[in-house]
Amino acid sequence: MLSKLPLVWVLMLTTSVTHAAEMLYINLTEDDDLYQLRSASIIDAPPDLIINTLLDYNNFHRLSGGIKETRYLDPDPDGTPVGYTLVKSCILFMCKQINKTERVTLATENEIILDVDPSRSDFELMHSRWSVKQKDGKTVLTFDMDMIPGFWVPPLIGTWAIKRKLESTAMNMARRMETMAKTGIPLSEFKIK
């Protein structure tokens, strides 16, 4: 239905949507090059929309700026889907393109497990988990990640800058998913500059 509306109306609808997204917590620690992230946010969107959006690697890059490219690659020999992500990230004056290839497993209807392939990624280790649960008519999205980057991260400010970037990306993604839930506009129609 929305795809038949004039572009001006679609833009007005998407810019007038109010957002309830809220970061409950985000904790990032670093110990001997191992970074551990624990975070949760509340999103005013149904759990199935969130899970399906997180699994949509062909359009995932439309969720937030900085994610330049995402797509599915050929599955692993055992049939497990494999996703590719290219991120351009800047920490102060330093910018880097980061490649990530990972196995994408829908563990349950409410949980996605991601395991990076170090031979095709800029990470020595990355294991992450998205999970959703409904609470008071909204969805709590939890994201946990353990990673060892295969690239240099500036000491002292590195953890702070990574945490700040991840929090900003998470809130952009949450707001975009809320807009999708309220307007019915699919992720494939969003444009990110």
Side-chain angles (χ1 to χ4, degrees), residues 4-191:
K4 294 180 182 176
L5 289 175
L7 181 58
V8 171
W9 286 103
V10 172
L11 289 173
M12 286 174 54
L13 283 171
T14 59
T15 56
S16 66
V17 171
T18 57
H19 298 287
E22 175 188 348
M23 182 66 66
L24 294 175
Y25 62 85
I26 182 166
N27 299 311
L28 179 67
T29 60
E30 186 266 333
D31 183 28
D32 201 25
D33 292 331
L34 173 65
Y35 291 82
Q36 294 185 306
L37 175 76
R38 305 295 178 257
S39 66
S41 53
I42 294 178
I43 303 173
D44 190 7
D48 61 327
L49 180 141
I50 293 171
I51 287 290
N52 290 331
T53 301
L54 295 172
L55 288 171
D56 185 1
Y57 268 75
N58 292 327
N59 291 295
F60 189 89
H61 61 279
R62 298 173 189 275
L63 276 175
S64 184
I67 304 172
K68 295 299 178 193
E69 180 184 347
T70 54
R71 67 180 186 277
Y72 275 106
L73 303 175
D74 290 335
D76 273 352
D78 67 1
T80 302
V82 175
Y84 170 77
T85 304
L86 174 63
V87 174
K88 183 172 182 184
S89 185
C90 296
I91 298 176
L92 299 177
F93 56 88
M94 219 178 70
C95 292
K96 174 148 183 67
Q97 287 197 35
I98 302 165
N99 292 285
K100 181 174 62 166
T101 300
E102 57 197 344
R103 291 171 53 96
V104 181
T105 306
L106 184 60
T108 70
E109 65 182 22
N110 295 320
E111 182 180 54
I112 302 167
I113 304 291
L114 306 164
D115 286 298
V116 82
D117 177 352
S119 68
R120 299 191 286 172
S121 303
D122 292 321
F123 296 92
E124 293 177 23
L125 165 89
M126 182 181 278
H127 173 80
S128 48
R129 180 180 69 85
W130 297 98
S131 64
V132 294
K133 68 177 179 180
Q134 224 166 2
K135 181 179 179 185
D136 301 328
K138 297 184 181 174
T139 302
V140 176
L141 173 62
T142 303
F143 180 66
D144 298 324
M145 175 180 65
D146 296 333
M147 74 167 180
I148 299 175
F151 50 89
W152 181 74
V153 177
L156 302 176
I157 63 158
T159 302
W160 170 83
I162 291 170
K163 178 181 176 183
R164 189 172 156 189
K165 180 70 171 177
L166 290 171
E167 184 172 9
S168 170
T169 298
M171 292 312 297
N172 287 338
M173 291 170 62
R175 290 182 190 115
R176 184 59 50 104
M177 287 188 273
E178 287 184 343
T179 299
M180 291 169 60
K182 286 182 174 75
T183 65
I185 297 173
L187 184 58
S188 61
E189 292 186 21
F190 282 96
K191 306 287 186 251

